[in-house]
Protein backbone atom coordinates (compact mmCIF):
# COMPACT_ATOMS: atom_id res chain seq x y z
CA UNK A 1 0.00 0.00 0.00
CA UNK A 2 2.80 2.43 0.88
CA UNK A 3 4.51 1.67 -2.40
CA UNK A 4 1.35 2.57 -4.35
CA UNK A 5 0.99 5.83 -2.43
CA UNK A 6 4.65 6.67 -3.02
CA UNK A 7 4.29 6.05 -6.77
CA UNK A 8 1.08 8.06 -6.90
CA UNK A 9 2.80 10.94 -5.08
CA UNK A 10 5.80 10.73 -7.37
CA UNK A 11 3.54 10.80 -10.42
CA UNK A 12 1.74 13.92 -9.16
CA UNK A 13 5.06 15.61 -8.41
CA UNK A 14 6.31 14.78 -11.90
CA UNK A 15 3.23 16.30 -13.48
CA UNK A 16 3.60 19.45 -11.39
CA UNK A 17 7.28 19.75 -12.29
CA UNK A 18 6.67 19.19 -15.99
CA UNK A 19 3.88 21.77 -15.94
CA UNK A 20 6.14 24.19 -14.11
CA UNK A 21 8.96 23.62 -16.57
CA UNK A 22 6.63 24.18 -19.50
CA UNK A 23 5.54 27.54 -18.12
CA UNK A 24 9.08 28.45 -17.10
CA UNK A 25 10.18 27.96 -20.73
CA UNK A 26 7.99 30.88 -21.80
CA UNK A 27 10.71 33.50 -22.04
CA UNK A 28 10.62 36.74 -23.97
CA UNK A 29 13.26 36.56 -26.70
CA UNK A 30 12.98 32.79 -27.17
CA UNK A 31 10.98 30.75 -29.65
CA UNK A 32 7.27 30.82 -28.88
CA UNK A 33 5.90 27.64 -27.31
CA UNK A 34 3.68 25.39 -29.40
CA UNK A 35 -0.07 25.95 -29.18
CA UNK A 36 -2.67 23.97 -31.12
CA UNK A 37 -6.27 24.43 -30.04
CA UNK A 38 -9.68 24.15 -31.67
CA UNK A 39 -11.40 27.53 -31.83
CA UNK A 40 -14.98 27.92 -30.64
CA UNK A 41 -16.12 28.03 -34.29
CA UNK A 42 -14.49 24.65 -35.02
CA UNK A 43 -11.42 25.87 -36.91
CA UNK A 44 -8.01 24.88 -35.58
CA UNK A 45 -5.57 27.51 -34.36
CA UNK A 46 -1.95 26.39 -34.70
CA UNK A 47 0.57 29.01 -33.58
CA UNK A 48 3.37 27.49 -35.67
CA UNK A 49 1.20 27.83 -38.80
CA UNK A 50 1.02 31.61 -38.21
CA UNK A 51 4.64 32.24 -39.22
CA UNK A 52 4.84 35.43 -41.24
CA UNK A 53 2.21 37.09 -39.03
CA UNK A 54 2.37 38.78 -35.66
CA UNK A 55 0.22 36.91 -33.14
CA UNK A 56 -1.31 37.97 -29.85
CA UNK A 57 -2.13 35.06 -27.51
CA UNK A 58 -4.34 36.14 -24.62
CA UNK A 59 -5.13 33.78 -21.71
CA UNK A 60 -8.25 34.95 -19.88
CA UNK A 61 -11.41 33.80 -18.07
CA UNK A 62 -15.00 35.05 -17.84
CA UNK A 63 -14.80 35.34 -14.04
CA UNK A 64 -11.64 37.52 -14.16
CA UNK A 65 -12.41 41.29 -13.96
CA UNK A 66 -8.95 42.40 -15.23
CA UNK A 67 -9.38 40.02 -18.18
CA UNK A 68 -12.73 41.51 -19.13
CA UNK A 69 -11.37 45.05 -18.66
CA UNK A 70 -8.63 44.61 -21.27
CA UNK A 71 -10.78 42.82 -23.87
CA UNK A 72 -12.14 45.99 -25.55
CA UNK A 73 -8.58 47.24 -26.18
CA UNK A 74 -7.57 43.84 -27.56
CA UNK A 75 -10.64 43.75 -29.78
CA UNK A 76 -10.18 47.29 -31.13
CA UNK A 77 -6.51 46.59 -31.85
CA UNK A 78 -7.36 43.32 -33.61
CA UNK A 79 -10.08 44.97 -35.70
CA UNK A 80 -7.72 47.72 -36.78
CA UNK A 81 -4.65 45.63 -37.60
CA UNK A 82 -5.96 42.20 -38.56
CA UNK A 83 -5.63 43.12 -42.23
CA UNK A 84 -2.00 44.17 -41.66
CA UNK A 85 -0.66 40.77 -40.67
CA UNK A 86 -1.99 40.55 -37.09
CA UNK A 87 -3.60 37.38 -35.77
CA UNK A 88 -4.99 36.78 -32.33
CA UNK A 89 -6.44 34.05 -30.16
CA UNK A 90 -8.17 34.43 -26.82
CA UNK A 91 -7.66 31.23 -24.82
CA UNK A 92 -10.20 30.88 -22.05
CA UNK A 93 -9.11 29.18 -18.84
CA UNK A 94 -12.76 28.65 -17.90
CA UNK A 95 -13.88 25.12 -17.09
CA UNK A 96 -15.48 23.11 -19.89
CA UNK A 97 -18.94 23.38 -18.33
CA UNK A 98 -18.67 27.19 -18.64
CA UNK A 99 -18.27 27.06 -22.44
CA UNK A 100 -21.63 28.79 -22.96
CA UNK A 101 -20.44 31.74 -20.83
CA UNK A 102 -17.28 31.99 -22.93
CA UNK A 103 -19.29 31.91 -26.16
CA UNK A 104 -21.60 34.62 -24.84
CA UNK A 105 -18.67 36.93 -23.97
CA UNK A 106 -16.98 36.33 -27.31
CA UNK A 107 -20.12 37.17 -29.32
CA UNK A 108 -19.39 40.88 -28.88
CA UNK A 109 -15.72 40.51 -29.88
CA UNK A 110 -14.21 39.99 -33.31
CA UNK A 111 -11.13 37.91 -32.54
CA UNK A 112 -11.24 34.09 -32.32
CA UNK A 113 -11.30 32.24 -29.03
CA UNK A 114 -10.73 28.74 -27.72
CA UNK A 115 -10.97 26.79 -24.49
CA UNK A 116 -7.67 25.98 -22.77
CA UNK A 117 -8.93 22.53 -21.76
CA UNK A 118 -9.49 21.70 -25.46
CA UNK A 119 -5.85 22.34 -26.42
CA UNK A 120 -4.24 19.50 -28.36
CA UNK A 121 -0.81 21.01 -27.64
CA UNK A 122 -0.12 23.72 -25.05
CA UNK A 123 3.57 24.24 -24.39
CA UNK A 124 2.79 27.58 -22.74
CA UNK A 125 1.60 25.50 -19.80
CA UNK A 126 -1.15 26.57 -17.45
CA UNK A 127 -1.09 30.30 -16.79
CA UNK A 128 -0.01 31.13 -13.26
CA UNK A 129 -2.03 34.35 -13.39
CA UNK A 130 -4.81 35.83 -15.47
CA UNK A 131 -4.88 37.66 -17.68
CA UNK A 132 -1.59 37.02 -19.41
CA UNK A 133 -0.98 38.08 -22.98
CA UNK A 134 1.92 37.15 -25.23
CA UNK A 135 3.07 38.80 -28.45
CA UNK A 136 4.80 36.57 -31.00
CA UNK A 137 6.60 38.14 -33.96
CA UNK A 138 6.39 36.99 -37.56
CA UNK A 139 9.42 34.74 -37.11
CA UNK A 140 7.85 32.86 -34.19
CA UNK A 141 9.83 34.62 -31.44
CA UNK A 142 8.10 35.66 -28.21
CA UNK A 143 8.51 39.44 -28.05
CA UNK A 144 6.40 40.51 -25.06
CA UNK A 145 4.41 39.28 -22.08
CA UNK A 146 1.70 41.50 -20.60
CA UNK A 147 0.27 41.03 -17.11
CA UNK A 148 -1.79 43.52 -15.09
CA UNK A 149 0.88 43.92 -12.41
CA UNK A 150 3.86 44.35 -14.80
CA UNK A 151 2.72 45.70 -18.18
CA UNK A 152 -1.05 45.83 -18.55
CA UNK A 153 -2.71 45.49 -21.94
CA UNK A 154 -3.71 48.98 -23.02
CA UNK A 155 -4.04 50.72 -26.34
CA UNK A 156 -0.62 52.31 -25.75
CA UNK A 157 1.17 49.11 -24.70
CA UNK A 158 -0.23 47.27 -27.73
CA UNK A 159 0.68 50.13 -30.07
CA UNK A 160 4.21 50.46 -28.68
CA UNK A 161 4.89 46.71 -28.75
CA UNK A 162 3.00 45.33 -31.74
CA UNK A 163 3.09 48.07 -34.38
CA UNK A 164 6.88 47.95 -34.85
CA UNK A 165 6.54 44.22 -35.57
CA UNK A 166 3.88 44.62 -38.28
CA UNK A 167 4.88 45.11 -41.92
CA UNK A 168 4.04 48.83 -42.21
CA UNK A 169 5.90 51.93 -43.22
CA UNK A 170 7.56 54.00 -40.53
CA UNK A 171 5.33 56.93 -41.54
CA UNK A 172 2.29 54.90 -40.50
CA UNK A 173 3.90 54.20 -37.11
CA UNK A 174 4.79 57.84 -36.59
CA UNK A 175 1.30 59.09 -37.45
CA UNK A 176 -0.56 56.79 -35.04
CA UNK A 177 -1.54 58.45 -31.81
CA UNK A 178 -3.02 56.80 -28.70
CA UNK A 179 -6.79 57.05 -28.70
CA UNK A 180 -7.11 56.32 -32.42
CA UNK A 181 -7.70 52.58 -32.42
CA UNK A 182 -11.38 52.75 -33.29
Amino acid sequence: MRTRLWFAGAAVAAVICVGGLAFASVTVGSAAPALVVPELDGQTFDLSAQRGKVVIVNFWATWCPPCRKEMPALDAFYRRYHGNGLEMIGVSADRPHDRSDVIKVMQSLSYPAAMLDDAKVNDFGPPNELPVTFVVDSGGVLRAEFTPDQTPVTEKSLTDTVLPLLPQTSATHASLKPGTLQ
Side-chain angles (χ1 to χ4, degrees):
M1 181 68 169
R2 282 187 176 182
T3 304
R4 281 190 207 164
L5 287 175
W6 183 86
F7 280 117
V12 169
V15 168
I16 290 170
C17 288
V18 170
L21 289 175
F23 196 78
S25 70
V26 179
T27 306
V28 172
S30 65
L35 178 65
V36 179
V37 62
E39 296 174 11
L40 295 175
D41 68 3
Q43 296 185 51
T44 298
F45 176 88
D46 182 346
L47 184 56
S48 67
Q50 302 300 320
R51 288 285 168 96
K53 298 178 181 179
V54 176
V55 182
I56 297 173
V57 180
N58 171 250
F59 291 92
W60 68 284
T62 59
W63 46 262
C64 166
C67 299
R68 301 287 296 274
K69 181 180 178 186
E70 70 184 22
M71 291 173 102
L74 288 165
D75 189 54
F77 197 81
Y78 175 78
R79 285 176 188 255
R80 180 160 189 161
Y81 295 105
H82 178 64
N84 295 59
L86 177 69
E87 291 298 330
M88 186 169 163
I89 186 78
V91 183
S92 172
D94 285 274
R95 294 186 177 163
H97 67 268
D98 293 324
R99 179 180 295 273
S100 62
D101 293 337
V102 173
I103 291 169
K104 185 176 180 182
V105 168
M106 292 308 300
Q107 285 176 343
S108 65
L109 302 169
S110 59
Y111 57 89
M115 300 290 292
L116 182 60
D117 281 349
D118 293 343
K120 308 272 188 247
V121 177
N122 175 20
D123 289 346
F124 281 90
N128 59 7
E129 68 178 306
L130 291 174
V132 60
T133 302
F134 298 97
V135 176
V136 180
D137 73 13
S138 60
V141 175
L142 193 65
R143 291 295 174 197
E145 178 179 346
F146 297 120
T147 59
D149 59 336
Q150 296 292 318
T151 306
V153 168
T154 63
E155 182 178 328
K156 181 174 180 2
S157 65
L158 290 171
T159 298
D160 291 350
T161 303
V162 178
L163 283 189
L165 303 174
L166 290 174
Q168 298 177 351
T169 65
S170 57
T172 303
H173 291 291
S175 67
L176 184 69
K177 294 183 172 97
T180 60
L181 282 182
Q182 294 169 345

